[in-house]
Amino acid sequence: KVLRVIRVMRLFHQLRVLVVAVAASVGALMWSIVFLTLVQAVAAILMTQMLQPFILDFNHPEQLRSEVYNYFGRWSYSMLTMYQITMAPPVWGPIGRLLIYEVNAAFVLFFVPYGWLVTFAVI
């Protein structure tokens, strides 16, 4: 029986190495999650504050203001939107294009660096 156990342990050596490596990286994973959450929270606050004047301006079409509100009208909406943009980078396209083409072209100065920072540097 002892020989069987030893033989089985040899077969699973790579699996054990992988499990040990994953367990050793849990601390770095947690800090990465904390950092990414802070980046998303700051971006959500920034976007919510920057878009409030647009959302409250009745000179813009109601449907456009409503759509912008659904993405960035409250901090919780902004946080969800930033989470979507972070976890699924292609999602930024419709949201970014809405803000860049319909609200203000200067939002490209937010979306491009955010994409660089989050997609290339963090993830």
Side-chain angles (χ1 to χ4, degrees):
K1 288 186 175 185
V2 173
L3 291 175
R4 281 186 187 167
V5 171
I6 292 172
R7 197 175 332 143
V8 169
M9 288 177 135
R10 278 191 215 146
L11 290 174
F12 291 109
H13 176 71
Q14 288 91 2
L15 178 61
R16 187 166 48 92
V17 169
L18 184 61
V19 169
V20 168
V22 169
S25 67
V26 168
L29 174 65
M30 290 301 130
W31 281 113
S32 296
I33 290 170
V34 168
F35 176 71
L36 204 52
T37 302
L38 287 173
V39 169
Q40 290 173 1
V42 169
I45 291 168
L46 176 71
M47 293 301 284
T48 303
Q49 291 297 313
M50 287 176 54
L51 287 165
Q52 283 304 307
F54 178 84
I55 293 169
L56 298 174
D57 187 356
F58 291 104
N59 295 324
H60 300 290
E62 173 68 28
Q63 181 181 359
L64 178 60
R65 290 186 305 118
S66 177
E67 196 170 357
V68 171
Y69 178 83
N70 287 336
Y71 287 127
F72 297 104
R74 301 174 65 179
W75 180 78
S76 56
Y77 297 171
S78 293
M79 193 65 181
L80 177 61
T81 302
M82 298 316 300
Y83 177 78
Q84 287 177 306
I85 292 170
T86 301
M87 293 298 129
V91 171
W92 88 267
I95 299 166
R97 287 177 183 271
L98 172 73
L99 295 183
I100 293 166
Y101 293 143
E102 302 293 332
V103 177
N104 191 330
F107 279 104
V108 75
L109 298 174
F110 170 80
F111 283 105
V112 171
Y114 186 83
W116 289 338
L117 175 70
V118 173
T119 304
F120 297 125
V122 177
I123 296 179

